[in-house]
Structure formats: C-alpha cells, structure tokens
Amino acid sequence: MSINIKDEILKLKEERNAIILAHYYVNDELQEIADYVGDSYFLSKVGRESNADIIVFCGVKFMAESAKILSPNKRVFLPSEKALCGMALMAKKDSIEKIKEEHPKAKVVCYVNSSSEVKAVSDVCCTSSSALNIVKNIESDEIIFVPDRNLGSYVQEQLPYKKVILWDGCCHIHDRVTKEQVLAAKEKYGNDVKVLVHPECRKEVRDLADFIGSTGGMIKYVSSQKTDKFLVVTDIGILYKLKEENPNKKFFTLDMACPSMKIMTLEDVYVCLRDLKNEIFVDEEVQKEAYKALNNMHRLNK
Ligand code: 13P
Ligand code: SF4
C-alpha cells in the first residue's frame, strides 16, 4: 500500500506538535509543506517564538543549531545530516581567539553561517539582512567580522566610519560569480533587467546590482517594483517564492545551486518526523555562550 507522504508528514506534525521551517534555497516540495519559509533571520525569529515542542529544520546545519541554541527546551531536527554549509566550516574558534588577542578593543561579529563554537566566542551574530544594523548599533568602532569576507567588505563599504577586520572565508556558490557573467546575462536578457545580488557575492558583482540584500530582502524588493524582469544572483531555490508571489514577472538566474540545500527530500522529512531521527544537540556550555551572541543579534537589529 503506497502512502501519501505529504499527508503523513502533516499527520505526524500535528501528533508531535511540530513545526517545519524551510529556507528559500531548499527544494520546492519542502517549501510547499513548510509552516514558515524565510531567510536566516526570519527563521531564527519564528523558531524562537513558536510554541511547538519540535522544530524540523529544512535548511543547513548552522540554521538548525541556531534554532536549538535559541530554544534549548525544544527538540530540533535536521532531516539530512549531510546538509552542511561550506562557509560555516571555515572559521575556527582558536583562530578567532588569537585575532581577539591582537585586537583587544574589537568586538567579534559573527555571521550565523558559522559553528556553534565560533558563535560562543563571538560578541554578536548577524545575518545578511541584519548585518548593517548590528555593526551600526554595536558599542565599538572596531569589528572583527567572521567568516564571510564578502559580506564583511559590504558592511565596511556601507559603514566607512567603522573599522572592519575581515576573515578570509566565503561561500563558494556566491564567491565564484564574476562580473563578466552578470554583464553577459544583462546583454542576453536586456539592459533593463534589474539585478538582485546577495551580499555573499564579490564586490565586482555587487557593484553591478540594482539591489543588494538577503533572500528575504530580494523577495520584498521584487514585490515593490513595477519592472517585470529580474536577474537573480543567488541560489535558484528562491525562484519558488518569487514566482509564486509574482506570477507575471520574469526571472533569470546564473544557475547557482547550493548542493547542501538541495540534498534534503520529502522522504527525509517524513522519516525524521516518524522516527525522530537526526536530532541536533549543542554542548551546554557552548549553548549558553552562543545564546548570548544570537540574543544580541535580535536585540541590536533595529
Ligand atoms: P539569507 O539570510 O539571505 O537567507 O542567506 C542565507 C545563506 O546561506 C545565503 O547563502
Ligand atoms: Fe552556505 Fe553558501 Fe550554501 Fe548559503 S549558499 S548555505 S552560504 S554554502
């Protein structure tokens, strides 16, 4: 007897008082069944505010870990243990402690795309949508920004009165895009196409953008525009929501796809909810320290 996997997921979700959170980059079928779909900041907020006992996170590991750190009393699950963000593996706690010694007055701002251990030695976390507010509002003019050098350099450009010390990490999916690719796409689709760029891209690409921002920011921007043609310089998963909300607009991409975000399937979510498989655990001491950094992000994002 074959089962309807979506119905089974909905049933299990109800029985277990669980919610499903999905990032805009995951496969369409997961965005379709999720209770909430959003960017990293939004998802960290709804996870924390929810009354659910269980959070099933369709995204990558650092997102599920952040949900666990912010809600240590909830059980958090990542349906595929292979969903790892490459950038989150680039910064190491020991090296950050060393840079802190070299710059004793600086505060460490850590992009959420990082390990829990790195968050634990940071003063505050940020996401791409909140980075400017965080650096603007933090009580220090000197910032050590880890791990994304591209987002860090974007923050430095926007807030020239702050001194931003960059870490040499990046997202390979966004960092490998070149200005030639964007210019060739504009040539192909017409110069009136509006270019949306994620701040994880290099400066040469950001400089060609009509809009720079997080995935959630891009979705809001498109809805606010009368133009009907957009070149979307981020992961193609975002097309699901963009097309759903803007059926009459046209979207072009550079075929960027984060393999870790595409690894998870409906089957994984079903098995996860059925067997309570792939639970996220964070060491208690790490959780307490990392909580402060994530909580500071919510406090300073205004
Ligand atoms: P957003 O916060 O913009 O959703 O970005 C998350 C991410 O991993 C981008 O690569
Ligand atoms: Fe990490 Fe890049 Fe994938 Fe985002 S797109 S989850 S930064 S590897």
Side-chain angles (χ1 to χ4, degrees), residues 62-163:
F62 76 79
M63 297 178 174
E65 279 182 348
S66 299
K68 179 69 186 173
I69 292 165
L70 284 166
S71 302
N73 297 327
K74 291 178 188 142
R75 296 184 73 182
V76 178
F77 294 84
L78 182 70
S80 168
E81 59 193 357
K82 293 190 192 131
L84 302 173
C85 164
M87 173 156 45
L89 306 171
M90 286 184 187
K92 296 275 178 274
K93 168 182 164 263
D94 295 351
S95 325
I96 291 168
E97 282 170 334
K98 218 164 128 228
I99 310 196
K100 270 165 78 165
E101 277 166 26
E102 289 161 19
H103 302 275
K105 290 202 190 115
K107 297 271 187 209
V108 180
V109 177
C110 145
Y111 192 27
V112 284
N113 302 39
S114 53
S115 67
S116 306
E117 288 73 18
V118 163
K119 290 181 176 75
V121 294
S122 300
D123 294 290
V124 53
C125 291
C126 73
T127 59
S128 55
S129 71
S130 59
L132 291 176
N133 277 349
I134 305 297
V135 175
K136 201 164 56 187
N137 292 330
I138 198 169
E139 308 81 6
S140 172
D141 288 338
E142 198 179 358
I143 311 295
I144 300 166
F145 194 95
V146 298
D148 187 10
R149 62 169 182 259
N150 291 327
L151 177 61
S153 68
Y154 172 64
V155 169
Q156 177 69 91
E157 279 158 39
Q158 301 300 310
L159 305 172
Y161 56 95
K162 297 264 180 172
K163 180 178 176 205

Side-chain angles (χ1 to χ4, degrees), residues 23-25 38-43 60 62-63 85 87 111-113 127-130 171 173-174 198-200 213-218 234-235 238 258 261:
H23 188 266
Y24 290 124
Y25 291 167
D39 67 9
S40 311
Y41 187 82
F42 173 77
L43 295 175
V60 284
F62 76 79
M63 297 178 174
C85 164
M87 173 156 45
Y111 192 27
V112 284
N113 302 39
T127 59
S128 55
S129 71
S130 59
C171 161
I173 315 297
H174 287 85
H198 198 278
E200 286 174 13
S214 72
T215 51
M218 287 181 186
T234 194
D235 183 287
I238 196 174
C258 170
M261 286 283 193

Side-chain angles (χ1 to χ4, degrees), residues 136-272:
K136 201 164 56 187
N137 292 330
I138 198 169
E139 308 81 6
S140 172
D141 288 338
E142 198 179 358
I143 311 295
I144 300 166
F145 194 95
V146 298
D148 187 10
R149 62 169 182 259
N150 291 327
L151 177 61
S153 68
Y154 172 64
V155 169
Q156 177 69 91
E157 279 158 39
Q158 301 300 310
L159 305 172
Y161 56 95
K162 297 264 180 172
K163 180 178 176 205
V164 182
I165 300 155
L166 299 177
W167 184 269
D168 196 15
C170 68
C171 161
H172 288 307
I173 315 297
H174 287 85
D175 186 66
R176 64 174 165 240
V177 178
T178 62
K179 74 170 191 223
E180 285 75 22
Q181 282 175 287
V182 175
L183 291 171
K186 283 187 78 163
E187 182 88 21
K188 187 167 167 193
Y189 303 123
N191 268 321
D192 54 336
V193 70
K194 289 232 171 174
V195 181
L196 317 176
V197 173
H198 198 278
E200 286 174 13
C201 292
R202 283 192 244 154
K203 178 171 166 50
E204 63 174 51
V205 173
R206 296 197 306 268
D207 284 347
L208 297 171
D210 292 288
F211 175 81
I212 301 170
S214 72
T215 51
M218 287 181 186
I219 289 168
K220 274 200 204 112
Y221 176 79
V222 167
S223 302
S224 74
Q225 296 296 300
K226 290 212 170 73
T227 332
D228 61 359
K229 278 199 304 185
F230 298 88
L231 175 66
V232 188
V233 187
T234 194
D235 183 287
I236 50 171
I238 196 174
L239 292 179
Y240 176 78
K241 199 45 94 191
L242 281 173
K243 285 180 180 167
E244 186 183 74
E245 291 191 2
N246 306 277
N248 299 323
K249 296 186 180 178
K250 277 204 179 70
F251 299 101
F252 307 104
T253 72
L254 298 180
D255 274 338
M256 297 157 67
C258 170
S260 304
M261 286 283 193
K262 304 291 176 286
I263 216 161
M264 211 172 270
T265 62
L266 266 185
E267 178 80 23
D268 293 329
V269 174
Y270 167 62
V271 173
C272 172

